[in-house]
Amino acid sequence: KIHVQIRELKGVVKYGTRDEMDIRVVGCTPEYDEAMRLTLKEGRFISPSDIDDEANHCILAHETARHLFPIGEPLGETVIVDEIGFVVVGVMQPRTAMAGIGGSLSSQDFNNDIYIPITTFWRRFGDVRYIRSSGSRSGEIQELSQVTYQIDRQENVMPTADVIKATLDARHENEDFAVVVPLELIEHARSMQVMFMAFMGLIAAISLVVGGIGIMNIMLATVTERTREIGIRRAIGAKRRHIVMQFMIETLVLSIVGGVTGIVIGLLCPTAVYWAQVGLQKFAPEFAATLPETVSGITPVVRVEFILLAAGISILVGVVFGIYPAIRAARMDPIEALRHE
């Protein structure tokens, strides 16, 4: 779904007379912000034209911008990264650090970064990385620090990883790479999904039982109030099955009306969620920015099969919880029912 090229190094940034700040310089492609769930505060992110032109443009992470520009607007200003000037074209929203998940996904802090086009990174900083240790100095050529792929569906993760590894194996005889699949994260997502479905199923089951008991109580009250009517019907020839049928039909009508009401409310949910999101963005933008993308970008989808399932469950609840009141009404003694006041 998304393919991102990334090259990173530690650097120092300064602006005017401000103190220098240790940062991480990230050379990347325009898809980086989407893959890493980054949100713009102002300006823009890297564009395809920045990649083509090898533009000296940069985007500041939240803490980097706050350190360099405690007052004033950073957009359009020039910051110096390792003696190279970059024009600020965007500033990011705060982003919580990504925790490491076992051994498959390393932790990462996004608030002290500067993002530049990867082509600019290659031209300005090159591909050679020097390493000093024990008085010696060595270097290695590193065109990319990592390549991140975001897959469209969870079931495609492992097949895609196998294809990527096979492709790299054919091109890198020394096997100087590692294909990292966040298996723990995937399993965690699966377990959370199962727990969420079980939790929602439990809530739905409790709601159905409570609703069914409510229907049964209403029908029992109706039977008590209409005892004399039942006696009259029995006296003029109505059989028990006729009484059962009468109250079962009333119960079904009651449950169907409730089910239709719930379906209508469900159909209005996408519109309600949309206007809630618009309202948050307009009246509480800071709070909206702190919400995870799974909440701020959620879009409810109404599916026909679930509407039919809801209608079926509504009818089933009416049948199950309407049987006892209907049978109780049918078993009344006609004489005693006629005497009821």
Side-chain angles (χ1 to χ4, degrees):
K1 184 182 178 181
I2 296 178
H3 167 222
V4 185
Q5 296 177 317
I6 304 169
R7 179 76 166 88
E8 302 172 355
L9 62 76
K10 297 293 184 180
V12 176
V13 64
K14 62 182 179 180
Y15 171 73
T17 58
R18 296 286 174 191
D19 293 335
E20 294 183 345
M21 177 184 181
D22 293 329
I23 47 97
R24 183 180 64 154
V25 183
V26 181
C28 56
T29 48
E31 301 82 8
Y32 183 86
D33 60 336
E34 182 180 354
M36 298 301 174
R37 303 289 192 270
L38 301 178
T39 306
L40 273 170
K41 180 179 181 182
E42 54 183 335
R44 63 175 178 83
F45 199 67
I46 296 168
S47 66
S49 62
D50 291 333
I51 300 292
D52 296 336
D53 299 339
E54 300 181 0
N56 275 29
H57 292 164
C58 72
I59 294 87
L60 305 180
H62 175 71
E63 290 297 329
T64 308
R66 191 170 69 171
H67 177 85
L68 297 177
F69 300 93
I71 56 175
E73 289 294 326
L75 295 183
E77 299 293 335
T78 300
V79 298
I80 307 301
V81 180
D82 291 351
E83 308 304 326
I84 301 172
F86 291 88
V87 178
V88 179
V89 297
V91 178
M92 307 306 292
Q93 294 276 12
R95 167 74 154 85
T96 55
M98 183 172 66
I101 308 294
S104 63
L105 194 63
S106 59
S107 60
Q108 197 167 353
D109 186 1
F110 297 92
N111 289 322
N112 297 314
D113 293 349
I114 285 185
Y115 308 105
I116 65 175
I118 192 166
T119 51
T120 306
F121 189 104
W122 288 331
R123 179 168 62 89
R124 292 294 187 177
F125 299 104
D127 298 332
V128 180
R129 184 178 68 173
Y130 293 100
I131 303 172
R132 293 185 178 90
S133 61
S134 303
S136 63
R137 183 180 183 186
S138 60
E140 66 176 3
I141 296 177
Q142 186 180 53
E143 294 181 3
L144 293 172
S145 300
Q146 70 180 68
V147 178
T148 299
Y149 288 86
Q150 187 181 81
I151 311 303
D152 56 352
R153 289 195 295 269
Q154 187 171 305
E155 56 267 24
N156 294 337
V157 171
M158 294 309 300
T160 303
D162 293 338
V163 171
I164 292 172
K165 188 175 187 308
T167 303
L168 292 174
D169 282 335
R171 296 173 178 269
H172 294 256
E173 296 181 358
N174 298 329
E175 201 170 337
D176 53 350
F177 64 89
V179 178
V180 178
V181 180
L183 292 175
E184 293 90 345
L185 192 60
I186 294 173
E187 292 301 324
H188 179 69
R190 286 177 178 170
S191 61
M192 288 297 293
Q193 184 178 16
V194 171
M195 289 177 60
F196 178 77
M197 292 177 63
F199 180 70
M200 294 302 295
L202 179 62
I203 292 177
I206 293 173
S207 301
L208 289 173
V209 171
V210 172
I213 292 174
I215 291 175
M216 185 170 64
N217 287 336
I218 290 172
M219 295 311 300
L220 286 172
T222 301
V223 169
T224 302
E225 292 175 356
R226 298 166 63 181
T227 300
R228 188 172 180 81
E229 175 191 332
I230 296 170
I232 293 173
R233 288 202 66 195
R234 290 297 307 277
I236 62 177
K239 299 183 180 298
R240 287 185 174 181
R241 67 174 182 272
H242 297 143
I243 303 299
V244 170
M245 185 65 66
Q246 174 187 345
F247 283 94
M248 286 300 298
I249 291 175
E250 292 182 13
T251 305
L252 286 175
V253 169
L254 186 63
S255 61
I256 289 173
V257 169
V260 170
T261 303
I263 290 172
V264 171
I265 294 174
L267 291 173
L268 294 176
C269 273
T271 304
V273 170
Y274 169 76
W275 285 110
Q277 292 170 342
V278 171
L280 280 177
Q281 292 291 342
K282 184 176 181 179
F283 299 106
E286 294 183 358
F287 175 74
T290 61
L291 294 175
E293 187 179 355
T294 52
V295 176
S296 61
I298 190 171
T299 304
V301 177
V302 180
R303 298 174 61 177
V304 176
E305 55 266 34
F306 290 138
I307 294 177
L308 298 176
L309 178 62
I313 291 176
S314 177
I315 293 173
L316 179 64
V317 168
V319 171
V320 171
F321 288 90
I323 289 176
Y324 174 70
I327 293 176
R328 181 174 175 178
R331 287 182 176 178
M332 284 185 179
D333 184 270
I335 298 176
E336 294 297 328
L338 287 170
R339 291 176 180 174
H340 183 80
E341 295 292 338

